[in-house]
Amino acid sequence: MDILESLNDRQREAALHVDGPLLIIAGAGSGKTKTVTHRIAYLIKECGVNPWNIMAITFTNKAAGEMRERVDRIVGEGAEGVWVMTFHSSCVRILRRHIQEIGYDNSFTIYDTDDSKSVMKAVFKKLQFDPKQIKEATVLREISNAKNELIGPKEYEEINQHDFGKKRFVEAYREYQETLFRNNALDFDDLIRMTVHLFKACPEVLKYYQDRFRYICVDEYQDTNNAQFELVRLLAGERKNICVVGDDDQSIYKFRGANIMNILNFENVFRGAKVIKLEQNYRSTKTILDAANAVIRNNKGRKSKALWTDRQSDEPVHFTQYGSGREEAQEIVSQICRLHSKGQADWKDCAILYRTNAQSREFEEAFVHENVPYYIVGGINFYARKEIKDVLAYLKTIDNAKDDLAVRRIINVPRRGIGATSVQKVADYAEVNNIDFFDACSRAREIPGIGKAGDKIMAFAKMIRSYRAALADYGILETAKNLLDETGYLDEIRDSDEDDAQERIENIEEFISRIAVFEEENPEGTLSQLLEEVALVSDLDNADSETSRVLLMTVHSAKGLEFPRVWLCGMEDGVFPGYLTINSDSREDMEEERRLAYVAITRAKDVLYISAARSRMTRGETSYNPVSRFVSEIPEELLEREGETVSRGRFSFDDDDAPRRRFREMPFGHDDDDDLPLGGFIPPKKKVTAPVPRAPLTHPKAPTISKVADLSFPEPEYKVGDRVRHIKYGEGEVLAIEKGPRDYQVTVMFDENGQKVMYAAFAKLQKI
């Protein structure tokens, strides 16, 4: 039996290549795992290669498990001798046998992220570093980046010896690594770095593994960093029997250190390498592939290729532009419900993809409202995220303070110098006196042995009472905004410099938008009602694993997956691609975003729906963004535009790499620009209103409620057509000023952040 008979011509050519370097460019859905596993089987069954002379490296345990299972199934007895494992697992196995050669004990401990943070905290204390001046997370990130470049403490010091700004990084790296060495421990970055160091320091060890692994295969090669590249290069040795598989068009992990040049320059590093392109796609329809090819073709830093398929279909790519982000979520959920009720799609056949985790919130609420089972892949329920639970705990405490868990959750968040011992004393006092925890906080000075913490606890209780008293006049939105600002909660996240700090802030901004929508739709709504609505979502029971569910995930989480029907949402400039990318001068940044769009499009097997919103609530304000440039790159004949609000975006460019692109949006059949308002944007028919403005709360020295109620707002000093500056959005041009019952509503087209509608008292725009 020919073990390669199920392969197509290109797959078979790759499997038959035995000796010398081989680069397999495997397009999305082209059967790369099948090709790799059959190649391994061919080496063993037909070429007589011993299984223990083959090494297959993957990035995830899941991928390793899948490859292991396929190899075992094809090869049968003896296949267990093949090393099929992740980079880190491979390195751990090597280091367990030989790490004593470089001064460690074989029983070394592996430190996870939390362990590394604890070590760095101790380093800061020993070196007397002020966390307010330099963040522990910043130092850890710098060390990680250095290790991924194979730069140890000594080399790092030599490189930065004349850079005074790096002095503390040098000291921290040295002390951090010495601490790990004393503890006989390695962090995750060390696993690869120390293996490379071992190979270079002990040629005999390297020679052993070069002879052991005569054939090496690396999956997802486009995602390798420089340390992983060097590890593979050393193992390949003089034989250079190395096969790498990947797709430069799916390189989307630059933020994790991935270096796309590893795959683009493979032939230059491994001279004489054979290059085979797998371009036949077995996943998607021709229409979907044509759309994906059209988008990715705009990238310059790539190897030319074009996916094709035998799967013909009359189904177009569906594009819809909705009036708002909320309408987008509600209509998509309704569409999924209709497909399900007609028997055209099971829940599990449907996947919703978005750029950032914060975008899941409106979809989650719509699914709960329609009683549709759903699951968030690679994430957690929006309302179960720590930062959202913290904000909710504040709001619950302001609402009635009867929830002891909520009060205890935020009594020292952000940090106020109230320790666990003091909190326990308050809890004990409350129990003895049969009162609520919050009431005990209000009487903290009466608690025996509480010390100076009593004043801090009393101040916390006073702050909560002031917000509760002001709630009726300020409203929920402004209360929440000011609470976040004045407690320093956002600043603490921002200053933490954690990897997910920006994502956590985006989640909070999304929740602020949720509050704004609630106030807009419920002018008489109370905080209790808002919390009740939220509870219906946050307390939703997770369906069991056997239940068919709609899947929600970021595009990054979707890589490697496929679904019959895919909804790609939020396709607007400013969302996908994001503002930072649009305003970056780096072509590479935009090309990575385009690769991400390519990955998203190629997740769809049968039907692809793309959507955008004319307006979207962000940070509690309504913003207007043009349709994503990636949508405009899809040929017109492939798209079916649906709905009355749909329109086709046209862009004008000063040059090919222009980072800022002015958008002009036309209604159907409109060929004349004369009637377009300034900025070229045609507003939606339905007026989008912002919540009624309220006087800013300036806790703890806020004016009395009666004084705030009597405030009147002066006329802005700027007029339509003037240039203005906003502290967050930068410079822009005033498009409209409308006098409201309590303030002036101002519409501004910002140069870098698009159109915003805001209120003059809160915007604090400066005329320039």
Side-chain angles (χ1 to χ4, degrees), residues 705-720:
I705 303 301
S706 59
K707 289 182 180 178
V708 172
D710 293 337
L711 285 176
S712 60
F713 295 97
E715 185 176 353
E717 61 179 19
Y718 43 82
K719 61 183 183 299
V720 173

Side-chain angles (χ1 to χ4, degrees), residues 380-397 403 405-410 413 483-484 489 493 504 507-508 511 531 534 538-539:
I380 56 176
N381 182 292
F382 180 84
Y383 291 105
R385 293 164 186 163
K386 179 186 180 302
E387 59 275 11
I388 302 303
K389 292 181 75 171
D390 286 345
V391 177
L392 283 170
Y394 265 108
L395 295 180
K396 289 177 182 177
T397 303
D403 186 341
L405 287 178
V407 182
R408 295 184 66 162
R409 181 182 182 93
I410 46 93
V413 176
L483 184 147
L484 289 167
Y489 187 87
I493 295 178
R504 292 171 63 195
N507 288 337
I508 292 173
F511 183 55
L531 294 172
V534 167
S538 59
D539 291 341

Side-chain angles (χ1 to χ4, degrees), residues 605-618:
K605 295 169 65 176
D606 303 324
V607 189
L608 173 64
Y609 307 86
I610 299 177
S611 61
R614 289 180 179 273
S615 66
R616 191 173 294 276
M617 186 78 77
T618 27

Side-chain angles (χ1 to χ4, degrees), residues 222-223 248-261 295-296 299-301 355 555-556 576-577 581 586-600 630:
Q222 77 279 350
D223 294 333
D248 51 298
D249 287 338
Q250 296 187 73
S251 179
I252 58 174
Y253 293 115
K254 180 182 177 182
F255 66 95
R256 293 181 185 170
N259 185 354
I260 192 176
M261 299 310 296
V295 172
I296 201 63
N299 274 5
K300 296 179 179 178
R355 181 64 182 83
V555 181
H556 279 103
F576 195 176
T581 302
S586 168
R587 175 174 61 85
E588 288 77 13
D589 289 347
M590 183 59 74
E591 294 205 347
E592 174 126 346
E593 283 288 289
R594 186 174 282 108
R595 291 195 293 270
L596 193 60
Y598 172 82
V599 167
F630 301 147

Side-chain angles (χ1 to χ4, degrees), residues 531-587:
L531 294 172
E532 183 179 319
E533 284 189 11
V534 167
L536 293 176
V537 179
S538 59
D539 291 341
L540 182 69
D541 291 333
N542 288 327
D544 61 79
S545 58
E546 299 301 318
T547 302
S548 177
R549 295 172 288 184
V550 179
L551 299 176
L552 288 77
M553 69 197 80
T554 64
V555 181
H556 279 103
S557 297
K559 187 172 180 291
L561 303 177
E562 58 184 45
F563 312 95
R565 294 176 184 266
V566 167
W567 282 260
L568 177 54
C569 309
M571 291 300 287
E572 303 133 37
D573 268 14
V575 179
F576 195 176
Y579 284 125
L580 292 179
T581 302
I582 291 172
N583 295 317
S584 169
D585 292 327
S586 168
R587 175 174 61 85

